[in-house]
Amino acid sequence: MRRVSADHHHHSTLDPDRLARQGFPEVVFCEGKTEVQIIENLAQLARANGRALGSRLDAKRAGAVAAALPEASYDALSRTITVGDPPPQPAPDAPAVAVVCAGTSDLPVAGEAAATLEFLGHPVRRIHDVGVAGIHRLDARFDEIRTAAVTIVVAGMEGALPSVIGGLVGAPVIAVPTSVGYGASFHGLAALLGMLNSCAAGLTVVNIDNGFGAAMAAQRILRSIQTATKP
Amino acid sequence: MRRVSADHHHHSTLDPDRLARQGFPEVVFCEGKTEVQIIENLAQLARANGRALGSRLDAKRAGAVAAALPEASYDALSRTITVGDPPPQPAPDAPAVAVVCAGTSDLPVAGEAAATLEFLGHPVRRIHDVGVAGIHRLDARFDEIRTAAVTIVVAGMEGALPSVIGGLVGAPVIAVPTSVGYGASFHGLAALLGMLNSCAAGLTVVNIDNGFGAAMAAQRILRSIQTATKP
Amino acid sequence: MRRVSADHHHHSTLDPDRLARQGFPEVVFCEGKTEVQIIENLAQLARANGRALGSRLDAKRAGAVAAALPEASYDALSRTITVGDPPPQPAPDAPAVAVVCAGTSDLPVAGEAAATLEFLGHPVRRIHDVGVAGIHRLDARFDEIRTAAVTIVVAGMEGALPSVIGGLVGAPVIAVPTSVGYGASFHGLAALLGMLNSCAAGLTVVNIDNGFGAAMAAQRILRSIQTATKP
Amino acid sequence: MRRVSADHHHHSTLDPDRLARQGFPEVVFCEGKTEVQIIENLAQLARANGRALGSRLDAKRAGAVAAALPEASYDALSRTITVGDPPPQPAPDAPAVAVVCAGTSDLPVAGEAAATLEFLGHPVRRIHDVGVAGIHRLDARFDEIRTAAVTIVVAGMEGALPSVIGGLVGAPVIAVPTSVGYGASFHGLAALLGMLNSCAAGLTVVNIDNGFGAAMAAQRILRSIQTATKP
Amino acid sequence: MRRVSADHHHHSTLDPDRLARQGFPEVVFCEGKTEVQIIENLAQLARANGRALGSRLDAKRAGAVAAALPEASYDALSRTITVGDPPPQPAPDAPAVAVVCAGTSDLPVAGEAAATLEFLGHPVRRIHDVGVAGIHRLDARFDEIRTAAVTIVVAGMEGALPSVIGGLVGAPVIAVPTSVGYGASFHGLAALLGMLNSCAAGLTVVNIDNGFGAAMAAQRILRSIQTATKP
Amino acid sequence: MRRVSADHHHHSTLDPDRLARQGFPEVVFCEGKTEVQIIENLAQLARANGRALGSRLDAKRAGAVAAALPEASYDALSRTITVGDPPPQPAPDAPAVAVVCAGTSDLPVAGEAAATLEFLGHPVRRIHDVGVAGIHRLDARFDEIRTAAVTIVVAGMEGALPSVIGGLVGAPVIAVPTSVGYGASFHGLAALLGMLNSCAAGLTVVNIDNGFGAAMAAQRILRSIQTATKP
Amino acid sequence: MRRVSADHHHHSTLDPDRLARQGFPEVVFCEGKTEVQIIENLAQLARANGRALGSRLDAKRAGAVAAALPEASYDALSRTITVGDPPPQPAPDAPAVAVVCAGTSDLPVAGEAAATLEFLGHPVRRIHDVGVAGIHRLDARFDEIRTAAVTIVVAGMEGALPSVIGGLVGAPVIAVPTSVGYGASFHGLAALLGMLNSCAAGLTVVNIDNGFGAAMAAQRILRSIQTATKP
Amino acid sequence: MRRVSADHHHHSTLDPDRLARQGFPEVVFCEGKTEVQIIENLAQLARANGRALGSRLDAKRAGAVAAALPEASYDALSRTITVGDPPPQPAPDAPAVAVVCAGTSDLPVAGEAAATLEFLGHPVRRIHDVGVAGIHRLDARFDEIRTAAVTIVVAGMEGALPSVIGGLVGAPVIAVPTSVGYGASFHGLAALLGMLNSCAAGLTVVNIDNGFGAAMAAQRILRSIQTATKP
């Protein structure tokens, strides 16, 4: 026998130009990466951009990753880690994003969206537990949603909350189906199909459990607003 | 060559005992039957029970069928035909069924449910066009829903309306997905999955476009109420 | 490194008005919740309503949860926990619910339905192992089904039992598909589709493995009966 | 422009040895073939085997096909055509096949199975309209099923009838799902999955609407019986 | 026989407050509506808002509808009809929307998006036939995309174009899968899944063939930009 | 806290009449049963019938089960256990069943079929590793297949072997798809669909991985043969 | 009313460089194009390349298209049209492609592959009706397959033929599933999945009914062979 | 109790003639095999062919397998093991295969393809991390792809990379979808459907994660090239 060795030559090539090209930095998707790869990737991005964000980092590996990096902060609920400088304080009149979720089980996905937006320097309003089965609970928080520049709505099971909110506000609504549910939810398919077929005009949808993607879609909108308002 | 002949020996065997056994008469499902079969079936049931109902009768064949039967009345929207005596007038305090639908395109299915219930002698409240994207329209009609013994909610596309109503009332709510929609509605699958995964506890669901089945489910409930209230 | 901490700020907002609004209390769905969350939720509901029910609580966490709450009782088969006062004794003439299941493997789902109904104070008749492949076994228990106000039928694999019972009785029949099976059962899809396409008119269906939902649907029917029979 | 011509060089190659190799002759599947192709195929097989059978021949083309062939007989319900000599009279003690179907709409598929078996010279017992929703109707015909060498059960919608019969008899039961139904029947998928997941041990299943295949499966069984009983 | 009559009591209730509530007027979805319903709906909206838009109006009914309404203009490719006043001329510096499509067959969906945006008064850049298989064709038009406030990308078959564009620009990209394709495109499912799984961060997706929905999503973004830039 | 207890009241009701009614005894499906339940069930059946068979018994629990029962024999490959008297020696001229499988990974399912048939007293011919990709290997064993009364063909991946064999022999062929494969095999769906669409006339199919069901289907055929050959 | 006009501005942009870039000319996919568009596209390509090919041209429009173009030749079976110069005569030792199909109904797809290859100047061997259910028919033609540089195998229903051939030859085998079949063939899905899961190593697959794509895949291989053999 | 024993009689029959018949040796698929079976299979093939390859060997069992065999080398990333003589050095002008992958997570599948090709003696160019979202990264490596005899493109998520490359080169492109992704990737289905519907003509596709199959497809092409270039 000659050798039994893990391959250590194939690391991912980062895309350092993304910030310049698209206005937002690359983020490290930690699922399926080794601790060493995650640490290297975060360190490299933090060097280039001052700070770095990692998503989908499970609690098991978080300790080792956080210990190896300066100024690292891990949030177990949203499974995100930030490294380096704190994000810039948003301007007082910066357009805000409302992150709304239907149930307790949707919190990790909503948290991923919120953490990503905060990392990018945007003000976030977290509005939880306003599902369709108790639609009256939405009233108390409605003004925060109505005045947001963008609203992200996270919902599992039948995924009806984005339709309700999309019918009430005129600003962009980004719907995030979650895999919360069982049986005929088919791991989020029911929520996904519901959102794609919403009778509220102009809803858009991202992949199941993709809180990060919803935040990036909001980031794109906020960037267009900022471009338009710059003198 | 000997013969080219349509088979005319195989007619369906009706189930005359169903009224005694289950408390409701057999109904003729007209789809896939010839005009002759429909006429024979309706006539036989009308002789046995005084009146008869046919469902899923398309407008093309309705003229010939109605012309062949005494006291026939066809409703093109719900594609139902009734033959024979009018249904008994419901008692003034008879428990009512609210039939709610989300959009104009859901009317045929809602109409099938309503026509079936009226044929069976129950008072029906028809409440239309109160979809989730304009949820405020529900308010004006909510008292009629709140006080009904049973509510049937018919919705296509994302099928969210039953969840909203199911979270507001305590009486039985029967959800009917419709095939209204396109693309990722997959002919009603999106609405069906949405309703099966409703976060409103105790919703029940019938097959896509099955207004008749929803009415029969309501009939079963009304029968249990009547059994309980009989001295 | 600054901190690696589990988020402990996001607890679910309970819905204390549900009992008044809909006639039944909120129930704690334990799957995906931490032991601390479950204990807090059950305690809060027990304080408000005198007693509380938790569903989908696996045996591993049941010990810790039960130990932390007074008057807690856990049933491992149905994975339900009750806390607080025993439910009120049903009146002798209270309408009963028959909970029927097809095979041994369907017992946990049937148990969840029965435990929920008993928690809500309704008399329950448990009828097991009367699957379609040995349809003669149904005869011995048929009178208990025929005289029930509502029948819940739980079945996996091909899910044919609700059709058979639905063709024999006139009272409401709520069908619960289970994920029991393998291969082309596709985790309950076969049973679900079978029940949605039942040739027995007026069957209604809930989500796969949703014994709790079936019980709540029965609760809604029993509430309509009680409303109608109150002087 | 040179030519616009239908290709007329590609005719299907028949398999004249099949009768010797497998004990049954080739049958012409008429769907997707031209009238000329059907006539040629049937004529060639009738010359080789004395008679020939065509399946899935729609009524529109049947007239022309039957007119072109001697001793042709078309049955519109089962969409089958036979050409040539009548099949041999079955021996008085020849093992019989029961062809059972659940509803009127399943008759074309049941008819295809029966016509194929009769063409092959087997005695057939046609038993119709004994669906699960009126299971008591099965009793009157049960002896004919119990004493058959093979039973073919044809059912659409939830496809539960084969399970019931399979639990009552010990002889082979071949289940044929049909595309009868709508909505969540998904063109026969519900019935197919139901039959594959039957709790009756030893059921076998053929493709949706494949009455011909079920007959051929029965033919294979009858052939094994005949082989075993030959001195 | 008493009567065979089409139901003419059930017309759709329009939502006149939508313009005030959400900043955009209701649009008439013509599929599944009668000519009379379409004419009434368009006339009512044109009276309320000065002009009206109808989508999914097939060419067959367009003549009768357009003849009945003043100032009606029908576009056969996008199947849209406009009635009443022309839309306001966009301001010279108004943010523009790029509507990009991959192939000729995607033009109807792209056209629906463009027509809706023009009806709402937004400048539109139509960029066609820049599919992924000839990615070099994108270069010539890239500046128009890079400087747009929002880009809508319409693609059928494998739906890869939004990923490519989403990786090149930082502004919002709304992906519209179309049902263009055959076989394993499953009526647009392949394109839909491709877009939901895009490796370009922050893409959002609407329903298959939903050009109107993409335009409304862009409208929501443009409205947020306008709100932010108003003094 | 009052109690945390596993439910021990619900045991399955066995069907002791099955042997008389259908000609074969009940078999214990061990998956999802506790060791105690399995032991009780096997013991009870062995008392009634002299011997008993259990299927789907994983190796972990097999030791405890076998230790508790007299004359128990466990086969790890097919996951079957037999208890009690050995099966009767088949008569020298008893009709045999060929159990054919395509690949090594299909052996457990083929083994389950073979073990069940041997338990029932039938002679079995085991023919392995004759998959379609090396079709020439079939030749050496073809005579054993050609002369069998029934052939069971077990295959995963594309499931093509039953078509090849079904085109070569005239006796009954029962196809068993297995979940062997990965990716687009979708846990046996590819093989299942392939077998249902076989171009070999008269193939029948059982559920994915259902070796037991295939054996029972063969048992039904052998029983019909025995009935026919009894004087 | 102003105008009802079909859009005539949007024609497809052809890709004239493809021949230089990839070694094969663009082909006109006629489905979904108007007669005018098809004629223009074919004429433009014929001018650029000397000849042109159109695929998926139905017989209805073929007459008008062929009449408008010089040297046009339409083949109704494969639904292809060629315009302009005949293809160059292949060299005597040019590598050949075998196009094999399983059944008569697969001929249009096989024909599309063959016509495309002949248009590109390659020798084609057409081998029909050698399906798996009569595998012995393959023997007579096997030498033509064994000596081909590439083999395209077209099959519907269970799609098993490519596995058999792929296990016998070492040259490239391109599998084309067709939508031939019914019921659980799900419009070619069964054949597609079967081919993707083939146990014959190194099979590749194209989309359902995509004879053109298979020919182009063969063209790519032949081009690599030609590149390698050029001095 | 008599015995609890693992079956040790059923080992797989290897196919020693494959090298002669098809030009490539059999490879051991290790998934689902015991360590003993793997060792025996590899040893037998190494004796016959001088060397042997095993695929899908997880790291846990690799140590024991490698220790038991002379000259064994295990690569953990691609999960492949080679035994015996090193492969022959490719000729300097041997046609090369480019193995391209879109993201870091696709490396194991790309590695399996590359390792298989190297085992077979072909030169391989590994090109990683050139996904569609950063399409500019493709430029730097494009010449290596353009001049390869065959290109294998491995991609998960939306699977768009093969379309882009397929539109740029004229040589064969073999697309390998991977199960990389989450949510609506449905374990690789999204990538698979995307590749099957590619608008780049002549792409071919293998099963999800089937790097080995792609290598074997390339091997078949290289063999045809070698056959053609041999004097």
Side-chain angles (χ1 to χ4, degrees), chain H residues 19-190:
Chain H
L19 185 56
R21 195 174 70 245
Q22 300 194 269
F24 47 82
E26 196 171 357
V27 167
V28 180
F29 185 82
C30 301
E31 214 166 275
K33 293 211 176 71
T34 64
E35 291 178 8
V36 171
Q37 286 175 318
I38 296 166
I39 292 165
E40 278 185 21
N41 281 211
L42 287 171
Q44 182 181 344
L45 286 169
R47 272 195 303 276
N49 304 328
R51 60 212 154 87
L53 176 69
S55 69
R56 303 275 171 119
L57 178 61
D58 55 89
K60 273 187 195 165
R61 292 180 301 168
V65 170
L69 291 164
E71 302 301 314
S73 171
Y74 177 68
D75 177 61
L77 181 74
S78 64
R79 292 182 297 156
T80 51
I81 189 167
T82 52
V83 176
D85 307 335
Q89 199 65 18
D93 62 344
V97 180
V99 177
V100 185
C101 78
T104 307
S105 310
D106 301 322
L107 281 170
V109 177
E112 185 182 272
T116 303
L117 285 162
E118 285 167 350
F119 170 79
L120 295 167
H122 302 295
V124 176
R125 300 171 187 165
R126 298 173 185 237
I127 298 166
H128 297 154
D129 257 327
V130 293
V132 169
I135 200 76
H136 55 287
R137 286 184 284 191
L138 189 58
D139 288 350
R141 312 293 303 271
F142 185 62
D143 249 33
E144 292 170 81
I145 296 170
R146 198 183 46 78
T147 60
V150 182
T151 297
I152 291 170
V153 190
V154 180
M157 300 177 78
E158 86 270 59
L161 188 59
S163 286
V164 172
I165 292 176
L168 294 171
V169 305
V173 176
I174 300 162
V176 190
T178 72
S179 55
V180 169
Y182 61 90
S185 92
F186 297 123
H187 311 291
L189 179 64

Side-chain angles (χ1 to χ4, degrees), chain E residues 112-201:
Chain E
E112 186 184 271
T116 303
L117 285 163
E118 285 167 349
F119 171 78
L120 294 167
H122 301 296
V124 175
R125 299 171 187 165
R126 298 173 184 237
I127 299 165
H128 298 154
D129 257 326
V130 291
V132 169
I135 200 77
H136 56 289
R137 285 183 285 190
L138 188 59
D139 288 348
R141 311 294 303 272
F142 184 62
D143 250 32
E144 293 170 79
I145 296 170
R146 198 184 46 77
T147 59
V150 182
T151 297
I152 291 170
V153 190
V154 179
M157 300 178 78
E158 85 271 59
L161 187 59
S163 287
V164 172
I165 291 177
L168 294 172
V169 305
V173 175
I174 300 162
V176 191
T178 72
S179 54
V180 168
Y182 62 90
S185 91
F186 297 123
H187 311 292
L189 180 64
L192 172 63
L193 294 184
M195 292 171 183
L196 287 168
N197 289 284
S198 173
C199 49

Side-chain angles (χ1 to χ4, degrees), chain F residues 122-207:
Chain F
H122 302 296
V124 175
R125 299 171 186 165
R126 298 173 185 238
I127 298 164
H128 298 154
D129 257 327
V130 292
V132 169
I135 201 74
H136 54 286
R137 286 184 282 191
L138 189 58
D139 288 348
R141 311 295 302 271
F142 185 62
D143 250 32
E144 292 170 81
I145 297 169
R146 200 184 45 78
T147 59
V150 182
T151 297
I152 290 171
V153 190
V154 179
M157 299 179 80
E158 86 270 59
L161 188 58
S163 286
V164 173
I165 292 176
L168 294 171
V169 305
V173 176
I174 300 163
V176 191
T178 73
S179 54
V180 169
Y182 62 89
S185 91
F186 297 123
H187 310 290
L189 179 63
L192 172 63
L193 294 184
M195 292 171 183
L196 286 168
N197 288 284
S198 173
C199 50
L203 271 194
T204 58
V205 186
V206 298
N207 195 6

Side-chain angles (χ1 to χ4, degrees), chain B residues 125-203:
Chain B
R125 299 172 187 164
R126 297 173 186 238
I127 299 166
H128 298 152
D129 258 325
V130 291
V132 168
I135 199 77
H136 55 287
R137 286 184 284 191
L138 189 59
D139 288 347
R141 311 293 302 271
F142 185 61
D143 249 33
E144 293 170 79
I145 296 169
R146 198 183 46 77
T147 60
V150 181
T151 296
I152 291 170
V153 190
V154 179
M157 301 178 77
E158 86 270 59
L161 188 58
S163 286
V164 173
I165 292 176
L168 294 171
V169 304
V173 176
I174 300 162
V176 191
T178 72
S179 56
V180 169
Y182 61 91
S185 91
F186 296 123
H187 310 292
L189 179 63
L192 172 63
L193 294 183
M195 292 170 183
L196 286 168
N197 287 285
S198 174
C199 49
L203 272 194

